[in-house]
Amino acid sequence: QVQLVESGGGLVQAGGSLKLACAASGSIASMNVMGWYRQAPGKQRELVATGTDGGVRNYADPVKGRFTISRHNAPITVYLQMNSLKPEDTAVYYCYYRPLVGVNPRDYWGKGTLVTVSS
């Protein structure tokens, strides 16, 4: 089992910045992907950014150039630096983890942290 705990959400004005953090604990695989998804009211959960332990990074088009994902390996933590925030970035942000090895790997999710961007 893997536990994910997010922190860093809050209220910010448009154009401002926030940094989210997600600490992972439990049975962490040697090869894995961690990242962030978000879900706005009335919308489906969508990818924001992911990063593998090997350094591969992936960003959704709406956040490219504004958001940066980074990882720290001891303790295992993934960060999302969000700059130039827009009202449309308002959502609950969920931390994500998936092992890339092992039998029947599954997705793990945090409980989410709310980011609200005011205009």
Side-chain angles (χ1 to χ4, degrees), residues 34 36 62 101 119:
M34 292 187 70
W36 297 92
V101 293
S119 57

Side-chain angles (χ1 to χ4, degrees), residues 27-55:
S27 301
I28 305 298
S30 58
M31 295 176 64
N32 61 76
V33 57
M34 292 187 70
W36 297 92
Y37 283 67
R38 67 186 182 186
Q39 187 166 17
K43 295 188 177 182
Q44 290 189 336
R45 192 173 297 189
E46 62 179 10
L47 168 73
V48 177
T50 59
T52 70
D53 58 288

Side-chain angles (χ1 to χ4, degrees), residues 28-80:
I28 305 298
S30 58
M31 295 176 64
N32 61 76
V33 57
M34 292 187 70
W36 297 92
Y37 283 67
R38 67 186 182 186
Q39 187 166 17
K43 295 188 177 182
Q44 290 189 336
R45 192 173 297 189
E46 62 179 10
L47 168 73
V48 177
T50 59
T52 70
D53 58 288
V56 178
R57 303 290 183 259
N58 181 43
Y59 294 93
D61 286 343
V63 307
K64 284 181 180 177
R66 299 189 298 122
F67 291 10
T68 302
I69 189 170
S70 59
R71 293 177 51 138
H72 187 270
N73 287 330
I76 297 174
T77 307
V78 63
Y79 302 96
L80 185 69

Side-chain angles (χ1 to χ4, degrees), residues 5 10 13 18 21-22 33 52 54 59-60 69 73-74 78 85 88 96 98 100 117:
V5 179
Q13 287 189 330
L18 278 176
C22 173
V33 57
T52 70
Y59 294 93
I69 189 170
N73 287 330
V78 63
L85 282 161
E88 51 262 44
Y96 167 80
R98 182 181 178 87
L100 298 176
V117 184

